[in-house]
Structure formats: structure tokens, C-alpha cells
Amino acid sequence: MARFLLLLLAISLIAMGHGSSAQVPAPSNNASQEYLDAHNQARSEVGVPPLKWSEALAKSASLMARYQRDRQNCTFANLTTSKYGGNQLWAGGLATTPRMAVGTWVAEKKFYDHANNTCAADHRCGVYTQVVWKNSLELGCAQAQCVKQQSSLTICFYNPPGNVVGERPY
């Protein structure tokens, strides 16, 4: 089932095309640029300024992802104690590209009601609203591969953090 969902997600992301963020300084590698482009595409769709890549946030995300892989057997991280906003995706089966990870978070958009600043019953919207949080300025992401489980853990950090109770993301 998970493989089918990831395949379906990959197909829908390909159909959506690729975003552009020419005004944003280029990150140091292709994966970083892909994370940044996917985030900034979602942000531009709701009129929010683009994020800038932060090597410091990427390093923190990398440390957390590797810790979860090496010490916690590739389980979800507890991001609630971080000074940054955070999103994470644990995916089994297929390789997960940066665009696929961000696309999974952005897929929650269909459950978010901006007029009422609410999420549909039995759904969560927090990872989507963090992606498009207007006050977040910087982004850093990393991924750890979990060979034994044939899975990966993707973590992105945002500074300043979003999802402030009672505030709208945009």
C-alpha cells in the first residue's frame, strides 16, 4: 500500500511540474535546491515570500535524521522541543526525493480551510501550514537512508518556526 501511495504521489508531482525560485540564492547541492524549489512553489501559490536555504538548519536536520537512523532505528523524531519549526516524513519502499517529501506535506492543503483557519475533521494540516508559514524565512533539510528497513527519514527545519496557535499561516 505504501509503495502504491508513493508511486501515486510521484506521478502527481511530475504532472504538477517544477517550481522556480530564481530570486533565491542557490543552495550547495541539487537535493537542497529541490527542497527549496518545492517549498517555494507551494509558498508562491498562496502569495508567501520564498524561503532561503540555511546551511545551519540543514546541518541540524542532518544531525537529527542521522541520530534517528543510528540510535532510534529510523523512527520519527520528537521535534516539539526544537527551537525551529519542523516537518518529517518516514517513507518505506521506494526512494523518496526531496520533491516527493515536500509534496506529501503540501498534499494536506486540500484539508485546510484558510477562511476559518481550520483543518477538516479527521485530518491534519500542520505540516502543510508549516511549509507555507508566512513568517518562516529559512529552510534546511536532510534525509537519512535506513538500509535494513529499506526506508528513509526526511527532516526539514524552519526558522522562525510556524504554526503559532490562533495565527493564520498566510
Side-chain angles (χ1 to χ4, degrees):
M1 180 67 169
R3 288 182 185 189
F4 172 75
L5 290 175
L6 282 175
L7 180 59
L8 183 61
L9 176 62
I11 292 168
S12 65
L13 288 174
I14 292 168
M16 285 174 26
H18 299 286
S20 174
S21 58
Q23 70 275 24
V24 177
S28 61
N29 64 50
N30 290 340
S32 303
Q33 187 66 54
E34 193 174 337
Y35 284 118
L36 190 62
D37 288 347
H39 275 82
N40 287 338
Q41 178 180 344
R43 293 170 70 84
S44 71
E45 290 172 4
V46 295
V48 178
L51 295 168
K52 294 181 180 167
W53 188 258
S54 165
E55 287 299 327
L57 290 177
K59 182 177 179 180
S60 292
S62 178
L63 289 170
M64 177 65 77
R66 288 183 291 139
Y67 175 81
Q68 291 304 120
R69 177 194 64 203
D70 297 341
R71 305 281 185 187
Q72 303 297 323
N73 204 23
C74 223
T75 58
F76 281 108
N78 178 1
L79 303 180
T80 60
T81 59
S82 174
K83 65 181 179 178
Y84 306 119
N87 280 340
Q88 62 186 317
L89 175 70
W90 181 88
L94 300 172
T96 304
T97 67
R99 185 167 291 281
M100 289 170 68
V102 177
T104 300
W105 301 326
V106 172
E108 288 185 354
K109 179 180 182 177
K110 64 185 168 208
F111 303 117
Y112 178 68
D113 179 350
H114 184 261
N116 296 314
N117 195 28
T118 59
C119 192
D122 300 322
H123 293 283
R124 296 182 181 199
C125 300
V127 292
Y128 167 68
T129 55
Q130 176 59 81
V131 168
V132 297
W133 197 263
K134 66 184 173 210
N135 294 330
S136 292
L137 304 172
E138 298 177 304
L139 170 72
C141 303
Q143 187 177 89
Q145 300 299 319
C146 305
V147 177
K148 288 182 182 177
Q149 296 90 347
Q150 295 181 338
S151 63
S152 64
L153 178 63
T154 303
I155 295 177
C156 287
F157 283 138
Y158 307 82
N159 189 40
N163 290 330
V164 177
V165 175
E167 290 187 22
R168 293 179 189 276
Y170 53 90

